[in-house]
Amino acid sequence: MKVKICGITQPDQGRAIAQLGADALGFICVRSSPRYVMPVQIHRVIAGMSDLASEPGYVGVFANAPVEEIVDVVAQSGVNAVQLHGQESPAFCEQLRAALPGMMLIKAFRIRVAEDLCSLNAFTPQVDALLLDAYHPHLLGGTGKTLDWAALHQFQPDRPWFLAGGLTPENVQDALSQLQPNWIDLSSGVERSPGDKDLTKVAKLFEALMFLNASKKA
């Protein structure tokens, strides 16, 4: 199981989070978000990672952006994965796949009720991974709201999947005792304020994951 920390805005925090063990860093490319960063800012964060023994992945998060805009931001920023967090269709995903061949493509879904999971099957031929986030009527992500984990017990998609939505160092063990995602994705759960990560909380997250792994092996 891998860890993505999303909403990175500051180079020093991004580097520290990578050193703590994050497998991927997420950058919000949605202008209306309080965690929005410009492509040049993302590039600056990524440039500061080149000397690390093991670099994380870099994910650009978009919502309802045109293909041309996504391609342009990818070229300017240096991200090597794209997450779609809006109302993008399977046809749009296919179009973006053609425009960015070889790019990891993640489609996010805001789950309100268990029945929402039925719509995910239409996307699996076009994307590399699925991400489940909590529904909020006005916010796309980073809401601090958790999913109904019990409703996901039978969720077994044909693609790797990310569990997001209100995860924190305090509840991640509970979530992972019930579910087996390929990735977990945290943002507000390890922040002081939007875009300002709390490195103490990030460290506690990895301590909780280490304890959970040790318990499983015991």
Side-chain angles (χ1 to χ4, degrees), residues 55-75:
E55 278 195 69
Y58 305 112
V59 184
V61 181
F62 301 84
N64 306 316
V67 168
E68 295 77 12
E69 178 182 326
I70 297 174
V71 170
D72 186 50
V73 171
V74 167

Side-chain angles (χ1 to χ4, degrees), residues 37-193:
V37 282
M38 297 183 294
V40 64
Q41 293 173 283
I42 300 173
H43 181 75
R44 193 174 299 128
V45 176
I46 295 174
M49 305 283 188
S50 60
D51 64 326
L52 295 182
S54 178
E55 278 195 69
Y58 305 112
V59 184
V61 181
F62 301 84
N64 306 316
V67 168
E68 295 77 12
E69 178 182 326
I70 297 174
V71 170
D72 186 50
V73 171
V74 167
Q76 292 185 55
S77 65
V79 297
N80 52 23
V82 168
Q83 177 179 318
L84 301 175
H85 217 97
Q87 288 77 48
E88 298 86 3
S89 66
F92 181 89
C93 294
E94 186 173 3
Q95 185 181 2
L96 184 61
R97 167 79 72 201
L100 292 171
M103 179 75 56
M104 182 181 182
L105 183 57
I106 306 161
K107 180 67 183 83
F109 301 87
R110 294 182 293 153
I111 305 300
R112 188 184 332 198
V113 293
E115 288 72 20
D116 292 342
L117 297 172
C118 298
S119 64
L120 276 59
N121 292 333
F123 288 83
T124 53
Q126 286 81 30
V127 302
D128 299 294
L130 308 171
L131 184 148
L132 304 190
D133 201 353
Y135 175 82
H136 188 283
H138 307 299
L139 301 176
L140 292 176
T143 66
K145 294 181 63 178
T146 58
L147 287 157
D148 179 3
W149 298 328
L152 303 179
H153 285 177
Q154 304 303 315
F155 183 61
Q156 295 181 325
D158 293 333
R159 291 287 184 272
W161 68 285
F162 292 66
L163 177 64
L167 293 175
T168 68
E170 290 74 31
N171 69 16
V172 69
Q173 292 184 16
D174 187 16
L176 296 179
S177 69
Q178 300 181 51
L179 303 170
Q180 294 184 313
N182 303 95
W183 289 76
I184 56 172
D185 191 333
L186 291 86
S187 182
S188 63
V190 288
E191 283 183 331
R192 286 183 286 260
S193 61

